[in-house]
Amino acid sequence: MSKWNQKAKYSILALLGMVLLAGCDKSKFIVLNPKGPVAQQELNLIIISVILCAVVIIPVLGIFVYIAVKYRDKPDNKAPYQPEWADSKVLEVVWWGIPVVIIAILGVFTAKTTLNLTKPPVKDVKPIVVQVTSLDWKWMFTYPGKNIATVNYAEIPAGVPVQFILTSDAPMNSFWIPQLGGQEYTMPGMSMGLWLQADKVGEYFGSGANFTGKGFAHMQFRVKSVSQADFNKWAEGVKQSSPVLTKGGYEKLSKPSTEKELSFSSYPKGLFEDIVNKNGGNYYNHMNHMGDSASMKSMPGMDMGK
């Protein structure tokens, strides 16, 4: 019995050691290193989920070890022999009641967090709109308030809620900036909304999280968070020094290929809406989710970034 206790103690200490060491440098695990209010809320939900799971898993593992030791086959085993034992109402209440309570608690936190994430992270700052189109194998960002476009990188003002409006002009993908928030699907013919915000100035890794063929590994982008003044200066610089994205240029850009970072001083009016509609979006009542000027003006507190 003492050998079993000793092994159990060493196993628990080893497990705790791994957990503690893993948390020494959380910057290596970007999902666990939030840099915005959306990502922080999602991390809190992850922590709550882990704690609630541990409430079940740890006792179950402890009971498993206890039963394996107590009832193992040995000559001097003193465990009672009860061949007629059939059930226990107390145990049934425990192993059904506890999971029901845990799921209810987790459901409340999940619902509350999910509803919060459908709203701007902060209410006292006017948001901006960035339209996102996933292509093979690149990401295009259009800024309806500035009439500029970028490929494989986006710049946003720190401390300002950003309404990313997402669609796809290629196979379905998933837009993900781990340190700013969870992922959202991009789908042809649909426009999806995702609220994100960066608390501080910095640069963040972004990626597609849905396999889309041989160029999938290159579907990465960077998001740079800067001050509002620097954001305005950057947008003006793009307008002054970058080429125009024409309809023909977009058709070429949308073909399967990999690209480095690009910027454009302007793009065809209604480009994002045309992309959604040409893939069947005109059959959906989706305009209130899109970044066109008319619909954005109808959204309370929405600013097109001017």
Side-chain angles (χ1 to χ4, degrees):
M1 187 70 177
S2 59
K3 289 183 178 180
W4 280 90
N5 289 336
Q6 195 172 16
K7 289 181 179 179
K9 289 178 182 178
Y10 286 146
S11 299
I12 293 172
L13 288 173
L15 180 61
L16 289 174
M18 287 188 291
V19 171
L20 292 173
L21 288 174
C24 288
D25 186 9
K26 66 178 182 179
S27 63
K28 294 182 179 179
F29 305 95
I30 53 179
V31 175
L32 304 179
N33 188 25
K35 296 298 182 181
V38 175
Q40 185 61 59
Q41 288 185 68
E42 292 174 348
L43 177 60
N44 293 341
L45 184 59
I46 290 173
I47 293 172
I48 291 170
S49 301
V50 170
I51 292 172
L52 291 175
C53 289
V55 169
V56 175
I57 293 173
I58 293 175
V60 167
L61 292 177
I63 292 171
F64 173 79
V65 173
Y66 171 78
I67 291 175
V69 173
K70 182 175 178 59
Y71 295 98
R72 73 188 187 278
D73 187 17
K74 62 177 183 177
D76 59 340
N77 194 327
K78 304 299 183 183
Y81 177 60
Q82 296 177 296
E84 303 300 327
W85 187 86
D87 66 344
S88 170
K89 300 302 181 186
V90 173
L91 289 178
E92 288 188 15
V93 169
V94 169
W95 63 53
W96 283 106
I98 292 177
V100 168
V101 172
I102 288 174
I103 291 173
I105 295 172
L106 184 58
V108 169
F109 280 106
T110 301
K112 183 179 178 181
T113 302
T114 302
L115 289 174
N116 286 340
L117 297 184
T118 63
K119 306 170 186 176
V122 294
K123 301 292 191 299
D124 56 344
V125 179
K126 288 186 178 181
I128 68 165
V129 174
V130 179
Q131 300 162 330
V132 183
T133 304
S134 62
L135 303 168
D136 276 340
W137 292 280
K138 60 196 81 74
W139 293 91
M140 182 179 74
F141 301 87
T142 50
Y143 294 75
K146 301 291 185 181
N147 194 35
I148 60 174
T150 61
V151 173
N152 289 339
Y153 85 98
E155 199 148 320
I156 60 174
V160 175
V162 181
Q163 170 75 96
F164 286 100
I165 310 294
L166 314 168
T167 194
S168 176
D169 200 7
M172 175 178 167
N173 211 304
S174 186
F175 179 78
W176 191 27
I177 310 171
Q179 288 184 281
L180 299 186
Q183 55 187 296
E184 182 73 54
Y185 285 114
T186 62
M187 293 177 277
M190 297 189 71
S191 58
M192 309 293 288
L194 177 66
W195 285 105
L196 295 178
Q197 179 179 319
D199 282 335
K200 299 178 181 179
V201 170
E203 190 167 299
Y204 309 106
F205 168 80
S207 176
N210 213 56
F211 183 72
T212 55
K214 66 178 183 179
F216 164 73
H218 299 282
M219 287 202 68
Q220 299 179 352
F221 59 94
R222 67 183 179 93
V223 176
K224 188 176 181 181
S225 173
V226 298
S227 66
Q228 183 68 61
D230 286 342
F231 173 75
N232 294 335
K233 183 178 179 181
W234 164 79
E236 188 60 32
V238 171
K239 291 194 74 68
Q240 296 295 330
S241 61
S242 300
V244 173
L245 178 63
T246 62
K247 287 188 177 180
Y250 173 74
E251 291 300 322
K252 182 178 179 181
L253 182 67
S254 64
K255 296 183 184 298
S257 65
T258 57
E259 294 285 349
K260 296 181 179 179
E261 294 181 356
L262 303 172
S263 59
F264 300 96
S265 60
S266 66
Y267 59 88
K269 184 178 180 180
L271 176 62
F272 183 86
E273 292 78 7
D274 291 342
I275 293 170
V276 176
N277 288 331
K278 82 172 186 178
N279 290 303
N282 54 326
Y283 296 105
Y284 298 93
N285 182 24
H286 60 272
M287 291 301 292
N288 61 318
H289 298 298
M290 295 176 62
D292 60 296
S293 300
S295 64
M296 286 298 104
K297 287 179 180 178
S298 67
M299 295 176 65
M302 184 57 69
D303 177 34
M304 298 299 289
K306 292 182 179 180

